[in-house]
């Protein structure tokens, strides 16, 4: 990375740094069918649902020349000072950049979530909420004297009148994926403690506030709609896709074992999965001018119909969860370069599109910054007209068409554009095979159980101090609120650090671990050799 930065900014000095990212943890299950890497990322790039593409608060704008020519700014919290154009401030509506009204919404959301987790909370006094643009117009009215947690609340289109959590719902016209039903089903299928555990599993190495804020932004700061979306997602992760206890737990090593087995069906699953990885139909490499990780998709390497829908859905989740490894605060979104060189009709897959729209709109909100469709041929115009019709106009606006190197340079520095894309970077994708016994700690169930119990205890402490923080804030006990917030921040950092101790016991190593891009302790470096 130092070498790259010296080429970018010869007069500047750049310390080598690593930054924390998020990973999953789980218990073991048998994997589902593997799938096409390109198809998944292609769909991600084009229809990444409102969730990835619908990043309302990180809308890329034309970059002033002065910014493009500046050396590295001081990094946020000192964690990404190797990124030449890292934003100096977190995006609006994210941790570290909340308005007072948005912070109130975050606290309200915590109370709702903690109630679903099974905590018995006394009513908390809340101040009258001032009008702001943190919520839709129908929400801009003075709050009642107390928190209307489950009763008649602050949302005109939420008709819950019971103290029972199942009464929280979304108006049919605003419930595209039937999440009200899924939410109620989650409360029936899962005990409060299971929901609580699933939430902290989903947090991984993130700040839990960051996770909640993603759902709040996606639902335009409507806390009840965000709650329905959050709980529905946890049910989907735990009971439908088995994200942490199967997909990420088993990873590439299981695919290799399947490919070497004698069972024809299992062997095909493993072969299909590894074929995508070995060809490099899609891969993660480098960052754009905003410090966002880049996913490059080589469309020409894929042929439609090679995998069934179940396999595609499985690999969709694997791809997204792997991309999460490369995100770090204040960066919360990714960029996809969709290389359509030599694209033909045979390369196009519609089957996974609807799944992907639902997946990213409902389960991975606020995670994609921009999509670059590069060198699209004329025949793609009819395909795009169909796909665009499925997207909200705000979502479609996140997609940009680029024709040449100059267009790409608006988003990515030429030294981080591969020669394959007519850039200056002399780098090419190479798959490193799974090593022999590269996941030894995952067999140590005793240590894993101990670490997971330790994590849940930390989570409980965060919950307790979160309640104190909220209570003191709304009673305007400034000193107590500040003390609780400080303690809370310390515990969140402990949770982040503890996750990386747990990680090798719950997540199979990936290509990016073998390349030493994802390093120990939650550090990442796209150019580990250059850093040396």
């Amino acid at each position: 990375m130092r070498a790259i930065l010296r080429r970018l900014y010869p007069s500047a000095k750049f310390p080598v740094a690593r930054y924390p990212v998020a990973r999953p943890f789980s218990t073991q299950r048998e994997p589902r069918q593997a799938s096409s890497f390109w198809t998944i990322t292609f769909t991600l790039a084009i229809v990444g649902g409102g969730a990835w593409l619908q990043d309302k608060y990180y809308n890329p704008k034309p970059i002033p020349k002065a910014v493009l020519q500046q050396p590295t700014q001081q990094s946020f919290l000192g964690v990404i000072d190797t990124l030449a154009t890292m934003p100096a401030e977190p995006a609006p509506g994210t941790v570290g950049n909340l308005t007072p009204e948005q912070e109130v919404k975050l606290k309200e959301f915590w109370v709702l979530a903690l109630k679903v987790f099974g905590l018995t909370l006394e009513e908390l006094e809340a101040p009258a909420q001032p009008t702001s643009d943190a919520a839709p117009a129908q929400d801009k009215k003075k709050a009642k004297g107390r928190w209307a947690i489950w009763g008649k609340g602050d949302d005109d289109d939420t008709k819950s009148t019971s103290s029972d959590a199942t009464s929280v719902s979304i108006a049919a016209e605003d419930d595209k994926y039937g999440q009200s039903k899924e939410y109620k089903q989650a409360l029936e299928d899962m005990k409060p403690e299971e929901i609580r555990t699933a939430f902290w599993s989903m947090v991984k190495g993130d700040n839990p506030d960051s996770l909640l804020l993603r759902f709040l932004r996606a639902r335009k700061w409507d806390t009840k709609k965000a709650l329905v979306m959050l709980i529905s997602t946890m049910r989907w992760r735990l009971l439908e896709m088995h994200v942490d206890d199967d997909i990420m737990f088993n990873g590439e090593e299981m695919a290799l074992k399947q490919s070497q087995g004698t069972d024809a069906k299992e062997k095909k699953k493993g072969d299909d999965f590894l074929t995508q990885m070995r060809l490099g139909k899609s891969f993660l490499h480098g960052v754009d001018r905003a410090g966002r990780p880049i996913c490059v998709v080589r469309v020409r390497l894929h042929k439609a119909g090679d995998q069934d829908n179940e396999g595609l859905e499985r690999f969709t989740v694997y791809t997204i969860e792997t991309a999460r490894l490369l995100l770090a605060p204040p960066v919360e979104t990714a960029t996809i370069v969709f290389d359509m060189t030599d694209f033909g009709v045979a390369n196009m897959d519609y089957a996974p599109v609807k799944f992907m729209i639902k997946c990213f709109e409902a389960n991975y909100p606020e995670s994609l910054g921009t999509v670059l469709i590069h060198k699209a041929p004329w025949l793609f115009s009819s395909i795009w007209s169909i796909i665009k019709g499925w997207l909200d106009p705000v979502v479609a606006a996140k997609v940009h068409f680029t024709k040449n190197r100059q267009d790409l340079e608006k988003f990515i520095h030429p030294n981080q554009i591969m020669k394959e894309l007519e850039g200056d970077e002399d780098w090419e994708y190479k798959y490193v095979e799974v090593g022999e016994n590269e996941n030894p700690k995952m067999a140590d169930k005793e240590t894993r159980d101990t670490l997971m119990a330790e994590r849940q205890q930390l989570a409980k402490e965060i919950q307790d101090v979160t309640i104190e923080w909220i209570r003191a804030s709304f009673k305007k006990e400034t000193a107590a609120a500040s003390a609780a917030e400080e303690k809370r921040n310390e515990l969140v950092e402990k949770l982040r650090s503890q996750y990386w101790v747990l990680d090798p016991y719950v997540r199979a190593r990936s290509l990016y671990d073998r390349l030493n891009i994802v390093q120990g302790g939650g550090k990442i470096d796209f150019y580990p050799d250059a850093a040396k």
Side-chain angles (χ1 to χ4, degrees):
M1 176 61 85
R2 281 181 176 173
I4 298 299
L5 294 175
R6 289 195 184 103
R7 293 202 301 269
L8 293 176
Y9 306 100
S11 63
K13 295 182 179 180
F14 299 100
V16 175
R18 312 290 188 266
Y19 55 87
V21 291
R23 302 181 184 173
F25 66 95
S26 60
T27 56
Q28 188 172 11
R29 293 177 61 95
E30 286 302 311
R32 299 177 186 166
Q33 208 166 348
S35 64
S36 163
F37 198 113
W38 176 83
T39 301
I40 295 311
T41 315
F42 164 77
T43 311
L44 166 64
I46 302 299
V47 300
W52 282 68
L53 289 172
Q54 195 175 1
D55 187 2
K56 176 179 178 181
Y57 296 96
Y58 202 72
N59 189 11
K61 299 178 181 179
I63 305 172
K65 291 183 178 180
V67 173
L68 302 185
Q69 296 171 355
Q70 286 178 353
T72 304
Q73 301 177 11
Q74 181 64 31
S75 66
F76 177 72
L77 300 182
V79 295
I80 317 183
D81 45 357
T82 57
L83 301 182
T85 54
M86 186 64 221
E89 297 290 340
T94 63
V95 172
N97 194 5
L98 297 177
T99 66
E101 296 80 14
Q102 290 169 346
E103 184 171 309
V104 168
K105 287 292 184 179
L106 174 61
K107 292 171 182 176
E108 289 179 356
F109 194 13
W110 265 113
V111 173
L112 289 172
L114 291 173
K115 280 182 172 287
V116 176
F117 295 171
L119 277 70
T120 302
L121 301 178
E122 298 177 358
E123 283 191 329
L124 298 176
E125 295 286 6
Q129 296 183 32
T131 298
S132 77
D133 55 4
Q138 64 266 27
D139 295 329
K140 295 178 180 179
K141 56 188 178 181
K142 187 174 181 178
K144 307 294 182 181
R146 290 178 177 271
W147 293 70
I149 299 301
W150 305 115
K152 293 181 179 179
D154 46 317
D155 305 321
D156 289 341
D157 56 356
T158 303
K159 307 299 184 181
S160 61
T161 58
S162 169
S163 60
D164 190 339
T166 58
S167 65
V168 175
S169 62
I170 302 175
E173 63 270 18
D174 197 26
D175 193 7
K176 183 176 180 180
Y177 299 108
Q179 288 187 305
S180 290
K181 181 178 179 180
E182 291 182 2
Y183 169 77
K184 293 176 182 178
Q185 191 65 49
L187 298 184
E188 293 177 8
D189 295 342
M190 304 167 67
K191 297 178 181 178
E193 180 62 23
E194 290 178 316
I195 296 176
R196 171 186 179 273
T197 300
F199 171 78
W200 291 103
S201 175
M202 182 167 60
V203 169
K204 303 181 168 100
D206 288 339
N207 184 322
D209 285 350
S210 296
L211 184 62
L212 293 186
L213 286 167
R214 286 180 180 274
F215 287 86
L216 276 173
R217 295 196 304 273
R219 302 305 283 158
K220 299 180 180 178
W221 302 93
D222 184 314
T223 55
K224 291 181 181 177
K225 292 177 182 178
L227 179 71
V228 169
M229 186 182 190
L230 173 69
I231 304 303
S232 298
T233 291
M234 287 190 285
R235 179 182 182 276
W236 175 83
R237 292 177 66 90
L238 186 66
L239 302 181
E240 293 185 27
M241 293 306 301
H242 298 279
V243 175
D244 297 323
D245 61 354
D246 174 17
I247 295 176
M248 302 307 292
F249 185 89
N250 290 309
E252 297 169 36
E253 184 179 49
M254 178 59 73
L256 180 62
K257 291 179 180 178
Q258 289 174 318
S259 70
Q260 296 171 342
T262 57
D263 183 281
K265 184 177 180 180
E266 291 297 303
K267 180 176 174 60
K268 186 178 187 306
K269 289 181 182 179
D271 285 338
D272 285 348
F273 185 98
L274 291 176
T275 295
Q276 318 312 312
M277 301 295 294
R278 288 165 176 161
L279 288 177
K281 290 183 180 179
S282 182
F283 52 85
L284 301 160
H285 179 71
V287 295
D288 69 6
R289 290 187 182 272
R292 295 176 294 210
I294 300 171
C295 177
V296 177
V297 183
R298 300 191 287 190
V299 184
R300 63 187 177 276
L301 299 180
H302 175 75
K303 297 297 181 183
D306 287 346
Q307 296 81 31
D308 61 23
N309 288 341
E310 182 181 354
L312 293 176
E313 291 176 6
R314 176 183 174 82
F315 210 90
T316 297
V317 176
Y318 183 84
T319 302
I320 299 168
E321 290 289 328
T322 301
R324 287 187 66 190
L325 300 175
L326 308 181
L327 296 175
V331 174
E332 294 197 359
T333 58
T335 286
I336 294 180
V337 177
F338 178 35
D339 181 13
M340 296 190 65
T341 303
D342 298 327
F343 171 83
V345 175
N347 301 126
M348 178 60 201
D349 264 351
Y350 282 112
V353 169
K354 289 186 178 180
F355 170 78
M356 293 301 301
I357 293 176
K358 195 264 183 185
C359 180
F360 288 99
E361 285 189 350
N363 305 123
Y364 290 96
E366 298 287 309
S367 298
L368 187 65
T370 191
V371 173
L372 307 180
I373 303 178
H374 190 56
K375 292 187 175 180
W378 66 268
L379 62 87
F380 182 71
S381 59
S382 59
I383 296 173
W384 172 242
S385 66
I386 295 173
I387 295 173
K388 186 177 180 180
W390 298 339
L391 302 175
D392 182 275
V394 175
V395 175
K398 296 292 184 179
V399 180
H400 303 272
F401 287 80
T402 57
K403 298 179 180 179
N404 48 45
R405 166 179 167 146
Q406 288 69 33
D407 289 344
L408 285 179
E409 287 181 6
K410 297 175 183 177
F411 302 89
I412 308 169
H413 194 282
N415 281 9
Q416 293 208 34
I417 300 175
M418 300 181 302
K419 286 188 175 181
E420 183 177 327
L421 297 175
E422 302 178 345
D424 296 337
E425 184 184 8
D426 187 13
W427 181 91
E428 60 180 293
Y429 175 87
K430 294 180 181 179
Y431 182 69
V432 178
E433 295 290 334
V434 175
E436 183 178 356
N437 192 32
E438 71 175 14
N439 297 295
K441 292 184 178 181
M442 298 187 75
D444 186 353
K445 296 181 179 179
E446 183 178 354
T447 301
R448 178 170 69 243
D449 290 346
T450 298
L451 290 171
M452 293 183 74
E454 177 184 313
R455 182 171 182 79
Q456 290 303 318
Q457 178 58 35
L458 275 172
K460 181 180 182 303
E461 293 177 19
I462 292 174
Q463 289 175 174
D464 291 342
V465 75
T466 295
I467 294 170
E468 291 303 315
W469 173 53
I470 295 171
R471 179 179 289 113
S473 296
F474 287 112
K475 287 186 176 181
K476 299 184 178 180
E477 297 173 353
T478 305
S482 296
E485 184 175 12
E486 182 178 355
K487 182 179 179 181
R488 187 171 181 271
N489 291 339
E490 292 174 358
L491 288 171
V492 167
E493 186 56 38
K494 282 185 179 180
L495 188 76
R496 181 196 296 271
S497 298
Q498 193 273 346
Y499 175 77
W500 292 108
V501 179
L502 174 66
D503 177 72
Y505 295 89
V506 296
R507 183 185 65 86
R509 303 299 88 180
S510 70
L511 167 65
Y512 302 96
D513 295 276
R514 294 192 289 278
L515 291 175
N516 200 32
I517 292 172
V518 177
Q519 304 175 350
K523 299 175 182 178
I524 182 171
D525 189 347
F526 278 110
Y527 303 92
D529 294 334
K532 293 178 183 178

